[in-house]
Short mmCIF file of all heavy atoms in Angstrom, two decimals:
data_model
loop_
_atom_site.label_atom_id
_atom_site.label_comp_id
_atom_site.label_asym_id
_atom_site.label_seq_id
_atom_site.Cartn_x
_atom_site.Cartn_y
_atom_site.Cartn_z
N PHE A 1402 28.53 -1.04 64.10
CA PHE A 1402 27.85 -1.61 62.94
C PHE A 1402 28.72 -2.69 62.35
O PHE A 1402 29.93 -2.74 62.57
CB PHE A 1402 27.53 -0.53 61.90
CG PHE A 1402 28.73 0.17 61.32
CD1 PHE A 1402 29.41 -0.36 60.22
CD2 PHE A 1402 29.17 1.38 61.85
CE1 PHE A 1402 30.52 0.30 59.69
CE2 PHE A 1402 30.27 2.04 61.32
CZ PHE A 1402 30.95 1.49 60.24
N ASP A 1403 28.07 -3.58 61.59
CA ASP A 1403 28.78 -4.65 60.88
C ASP A 1403 28.76 -4.28 59.40
O ASP A 1403 27.72 -4.38 58.74
CB ASP A 1403 28.10 -6.00 61.11
CG ASP A 1403 28.94 -7.16 60.58
OD1 ASP A 1403 29.44 -7.05 59.45
OD2 ASP A 1403 29.08 -8.18 61.30
N ALA A 1404 29.89 -3.86 58.90
CA ALA A 1404 29.97 -3.32 57.53
C ALA A 1404 29.56 -4.34 56.49
O ALA A 1404 28.88 -4.01 55.51
CB ALA A 1404 31.37 -2.81 57.25
N GLU A 1405 29.95 -5.59 56.66
CA GLU A 1405 29.67 -6.62 55.66
C GLU A 1405 28.25 -7.17 55.78
O GLU A 1405 27.59 -7.46 54.77
CB GLU A 1405 30.67 -7.77 55.77
CG GLU A 1405 32.03 -7.48 55.15
CD GLU A 1405 32.82 -6.42 55.93
OE1 GLU A 1405 32.77 -6.45 57.19
OE2 GLU A 1405 33.46 -5.56 55.30
N LYS A 1406 27.77 -7.35 57.00
CA LYS A 1406 26.42 -7.88 57.20
C LYS A 1406 25.35 -6.81 57.00
O LYS A 1406 24.15 -7.12 56.99
CB LYS A 1406 26.30 -8.49 58.59
CG LYS A 1406 27.10 -9.77 58.78
CD LYS A 1406 26.87 -10.36 60.16
CE LYS A 1406 27.66 -11.65 60.34
NZ LYS A 1406 27.44 -12.24 61.70
N LEU A 1407 25.76 -5.57 56.87
CA LEU A 1407 24.84 -4.46 56.62
C LEU A 1407 23.83 -4.30 57.76
O LEU A 1407 22.62 -4.13 57.56
CB LEU A 1407 24.12 -4.63 55.29
CG LEU A 1407 25.03 -4.72 54.06
CD1 LEU A 1407 24.22 -5.05 52.81
CD2 LEU A 1407 25.79 -3.41 53.85
N THR A 1408 24.33 -4.38 58.98
CA THR A 1408 23.50 -4.19 60.16
C THR A 1408 24.10 -3.13 61.07
O THR A 1408 25.32 -2.92 61.09
CB THR A 1408 23.36 -5.50 60.96
OG1 THR A 1408 24.66 -5.96 61.37
CG2 THR A 1408 22.67 -6.57 60.13
N VAL A 1409 23.22 -2.46 61.82
CA VAL A 1409 23.63 -1.42 62.75
C VAL A 1409 23.03 -1.74 64.11
O VAL A 1409 21.84 -2.07 64.21
CB VAL A 1409 23.15 -0.02 62.28
CG1 VAL A 1409 23.50 1.04 63.31
CG2 VAL A 1409 23.74 0.33 60.92
N GLN A 1410 23.86 -1.66 65.13
CA GLN A 1410 23.35 -1.81 66.50
C GLN A 1410 22.67 -0.51 66.90
O GLN A 1410 23.29 0.55 66.93
CB GLN A 1410 24.50 -2.12 67.46
CG GLN A 1410 24.06 -2.35 68.90
CD GLN A 1410 23.29 -3.65 69.08
OE1 GLN A 1410 23.73 -4.70 68.63
NE2 GLN A 1410 22.14 -3.57 69.72
N ILE A 1411 21.38 -0.59 67.19
CA ILE A 1411 20.63 0.61 67.56
C ILE A 1411 21.06 1.05 68.95
O ILE A 1411 21.15 0.23 69.87
CB ILE A 1411 19.12 0.33 67.52
CG1 ILE A 1411 18.71 -0.10 66.10
CG2 ILE A 1411 18.32 1.56 67.94
CD1 ILE A 1411 17.28 -0.61 66.01
N PRO A 1412 21.33 2.33 69.14
CA PRO A 1412 21.78 2.81 70.46
C PRO A 1412 20.74 2.54 71.55
O PRO A 1412 19.53 2.62 71.28
CB PRO A 1412 21.96 4.31 70.25
CG PRO A 1412 22.11 4.49 68.78
CD PRO A 1412 21.30 3.41 68.15
N PRO A 1413 21.18 2.22 72.76
CA PRO A 1413 20.25 1.96 73.87
C PRO A 1413 19.74 3.27 74.48
O PRO A 1413 20.14 3.68 75.58
CB PRO A 1413 21.11 1.18 74.87
CG PRO A 1413 22.50 1.70 74.62
CD PRO A 1413 22.58 1.99 73.15
N VAL A 1414 18.84 3.94 73.77
CA VAL A 1414 18.31 5.22 74.23
C VAL A 1414 16.80 5.11 74.38
O VAL A 1414 16.18 4.18 73.84
CB VAL A 1414 18.67 6.36 73.24
CG1 VAL A 1414 20.17 6.61 73.22
CG2 VAL A 1414 18.18 6.03 71.83
N ASP A 1415 16.21 6.05 75.12
CA ASP A 1415 14.77 5.99 75.39
C ASP A 1415 13.98 6.91 74.45
O ASP A 1415 12.89 7.37 74.79
CB ASP A 1415 14.49 6.35 76.85
CG ASP A 1415 14.99 7.74 77.22
OD1 ASP A 1415 15.58 8.42 76.34
OD2 ASP A 1415 14.81 8.14 78.38
N TYR A 1416 14.54 7.20 73.29
CA TYR A 1416 13.84 7.99 72.28
C TYR A 1416 14.19 7.40 70.91
O TYR A 1416 14.98 6.45 70.82
CB TYR A 1416 14.28 9.46 72.35
CG TYR A 1416 15.74 9.69 72.02
CD1 TYR A 1416 16.16 9.96 70.71
CD2 TYR A 1416 16.72 9.62 73.02
CE1 TYR A 1416 17.50 10.14 70.40
CE2 TYR A 1416 18.07 9.80 72.72
CZ TYR A 1416 18.44 10.07 71.41
OH TYR A 1416 19.77 10.25 71.10
N ARG A 1417 13.60 7.94 69.87
CA ARG A 1417 13.83 7.42 68.53
C ARG A 1417 15.03 8.13 67.88
O ARG A 1417 14.92 9.29 67.50
CB ARG A 1417 12.58 7.61 67.66
CG ARG A 1417 11.38 6.86 68.16
CD ARG A 1417 10.18 7.12 67.27
NE ARG A 1417 10.39 6.65 65.91
CZ ARG A 1417 9.50 6.76 64.93
NH1 ARG A 1417 8.34 7.36 65.17
NH2 ARG A 1417 9.77 6.30 63.72
N PRO A 1418 16.14 7.45 67.75
CA PRO A 1418 17.30 8.09 67.12
C PRO A 1418 17.15 8.12 65.60
O PRO A 1418 16.54 7.23 65.01
CB PRO A 1418 18.46 7.17 67.53
CG PRO A 1418 17.82 5.82 67.65
CD PRO A 1418 16.43 6.07 68.19
N LYS A 1419 17.68 9.14 65.00
CA LYS A 1419 17.71 9.22 63.54
C LYS A 1419 19.05 8.70 63.06
O LYS A 1419 20.10 9.25 63.41
CB LYS A 1419 17.49 10.67 63.08
CG LYS A 1419 17.23 10.81 61.59
CD LYS A 1419 16.83 12.25 61.27
CE LYS A 1419 16.39 12.39 59.84
NZ LYS A 1419 15.93 13.79 59.54
N ILE A 1420 19.01 7.64 62.29
CA ILE A 1420 20.23 6.93 61.89
C ILE A 1420 20.47 7.13 60.40
O ILE A 1420 19.60 6.82 59.57
CB ILE A 1420 20.13 5.44 62.23
CG1 ILE A 1420 19.93 5.26 63.74
CG2 ILE A 1420 21.37 4.69 61.76
CD1 ILE A 1420 19.69 3.82 64.17
N LYS A 1421 21.62 7.64 60.09
CA LYS A 1421 22.03 7.83 58.69
C LYS A 1421 23.14 6.83 58.38
O LYS A 1421 24.11 6.73 59.13
CB LYS A 1421 22.52 9.26 58.47
CG LYS A 1421 23.07 9.54 57.08
CD LYS A 1421 23.57 10.98 57.00
CE LYS A 1421 24.25 11.28 55.68
NZ LYS A 1421 24.76 12.68 55.61
N VAL A 1422 22.98 6.12 57.28
CA VAL A 1422 23.93 5.07 56.90
C VAL A 1422 24.46 5.37 55.51
O VAL A 1422 23.69 5.64 54.59
CB VAL A 1422 23.24 3.69 56.91
CG1 VAL A 1422 24.22 2.61 56.49
CG2 VAL A 1422 22.66 3.39 58.28
N ARG A 1423 25.77 5.34 55.37
CA ARG A 1423 26.39 5.52 54.06
C ARG A 1423 26.84 4.16 53.54
O ARG A 1423 27.68 3.48 54.15
CB ARG A 1423 27.56 6.49 54.11
CG ARG A 1423 28.30 6.66 52.77
CD ARG A 1423 29.08 7.96 52.74
NE ARG A 1423 28.17 9.11 52.82
CZ ARG A 1423 28.56 10.34 53.14
NH1 ARG A 1423 29.84 10.58 53.43
NH2 ARG A 1423 27.68 11.33 53.17
N LEU A 1424 26.28 3.77 52.41
CA LEU A 1424 26.61 2.51 51.76
C LEU A 1424 27.52 2.78 50.57
O LEU A 1424 27.35 3.78 49.85
CB LEU A 1424 25.34 1.81 51.28
CG LEU A 1424 24.30 1.49 52.37
CD1 LEU A 1424 23.00 1.03 51.74
CD2 LEU A 1424 24.84 0.42 53.32
N VAL A 1425 28.46 1.88 50.36
CA VAL A 1425 29.38 2.02 49.23
C VAL A 1425 29.54 0.67 48.54
O VAL A 1425 29.37 -0.39 49.15
CB VAL A 1425 30.76 2.56 49.67
CG1 VAL A 1425 30.65 3.97 50.22
CG2 VAL A 1425 31.41 1.62 50.68
N ALA A 1426 29.87 0.73 47.26
CA ALA A 1426 30.13 -0.49 46.50
C ALA A 1426 31.47 -1.08 46.92
O ALA A 1426 32.41 -0.35 47.25
CB ALA A 1426 30.13 -0.19 45.01
#
Side-chain angles (χ1 to χ4, degrees):
F1402 62 86
D1403 190 314
E1405 282 69 40
K1406 291 183 179 180
L1407 301 173
T1408 59
V1409 177
Q1410 182 70 50
I1411 300 170
V1414 293
D1415 59 359
Y1416 64 91
R1417 298 179 62 181
K1419 191 172 188 177
I1420 300 175
K1421 175 182 175 182
V1422 179
R1423 177 159 296 163
L1424 301 170
V1425 295

